[in-house]
Amino acid sequence: EWMKDENKHNMQTKRFAGSADLEKAKNVLRDLYPFVGLTERFEDSLKLLSVVCPEKLNLKYKKQLIATNNTIKKKLIESPNTLEILREANKLDIELYKYVRDELFPERLKKHQVAVNNVVLPESYYKTDRTYKYRTSIAFNKFVYRQLLKVKPV
């Protein structure tokens, strides 16, 4: 149903350009955003971000495989008609992605290549996203605060 709604088509292009104007979206990305990255080139993107960002970044991250269920992908591959409708509804977004992938990202990477080559990503990734402070607050809540709530006033 959402494919029938024209407002839902080419959402990324509209988000950057304010309308379904591909050239304007390209110009906005090129002129107003010092950083663009690609998930399929995540580590290169992370290095580039650390170079163009004025603040020192903590580059540790946890590798995750998010899309373990490929049901939607399989259904799309099995239904060429649906896939074609999606491509048509997102034609400008696909072109914008190709522009970033094939032109803008490589251009930015090349511009900062020396600095990017000097960025060393940490070898040890976070083992968990639950930090010491977070785990301590959970323990306090469970073993102290909740226990105090159980005490009946005299």
Side-chain angles (χ1 to χ4, degrees):
E1 268 190 46
W2 70 267
M3 289 188 283
K4 294 176 185 173
D5 184 357
E6 295 279 330
N7 294 321
K8 303 268 193 291
H9 296 192
N10 298 301
M11 291 296 295
Q12 293 301 314
T13 302
K14 290 175 184 176
R15 191 164 282 150
F16 288 113
S19 64
D21 184 343
L22 178 60
E23 289 308 311
K24 184 176 180 183
K26 287 179 180 181
N27 291 336
V28 165
L29 279 173
R30 186 183 60 248
D31 299 337
L32 300 179
Y33 288 83
F35 170 76
V36 293
L38 299 166
T39 54
E40 63 268 28
R41 302 221 18 219
F42 182 73
E43 290 191 355
D44 287 336
S45 297
L46 196 59
K47 289 178 179 182
L48 180 61
L49 178 61
S50 74
V51 169
V52 300
C53 183
E55 301 292 324
K56 182 168 173 35
L57 300 174
N58 177 351
L59 298 177
K60 288 184 179 180
Y61 65 96
K62 179 181 177 186
K63 286 187 178 183
Q64 294 183 329
L65 177 61
I66 302 298
T68 56
N69 181 347
N70 289 321
T71 307
I72 295 172
K73 179 181 176 182
K74 288 176 186 174
K75 285 182 181 179
L76 287 174
I77 290 171
E78 292 168 2
S79 174
N81 185 39
T82 303
L83 189 56
E84 188 53 40
I85 291 170
L86 284 170
R87 283 186 178 133
E88 185 58 34
N90 294 289
K91 184 172 32 177
L92 298 177
D93 282 356
I94 292 168
E95 288 302 313
L96 185 62
Y97 165 75
K98 288 178 182 177
Y99 166 72
V100 171
R101 182 193 66 199
D102 300 338
E103 295 179 44
L104 189 58
F105 183 74
E107 173 187 303
R108 300 276 171 87
L109 207 53
K110 184 177 179 181
K111 178 180 177 183
H112 299 287
Q113 193 65 54
V114 173
V116 166
N117 287 343
N118 290 325
V119 174
V120 178
L121 294 176
E123 289 185 28
S124 61
Y125 302 113
Y126 285 122
K127 302 244 185 297
T128 177
D129 54 356
R130 296 183 179 197
T131 63
Y132 173 76
K133 188 175 182 180
Y134 174 79
R135 289 190 310 262
T136 304
S137 70
I138 294 296
F140 178 82
N141 183 303
K142 185 175 183 179
F143 298 115
V144 178
Y145 181 71
R146 288 185 186 184
Q147 301 311 316
L148 288 173
L149 290 177
K150 292 179 184 178
V151 176
K152 294 184 180 181
V154 184

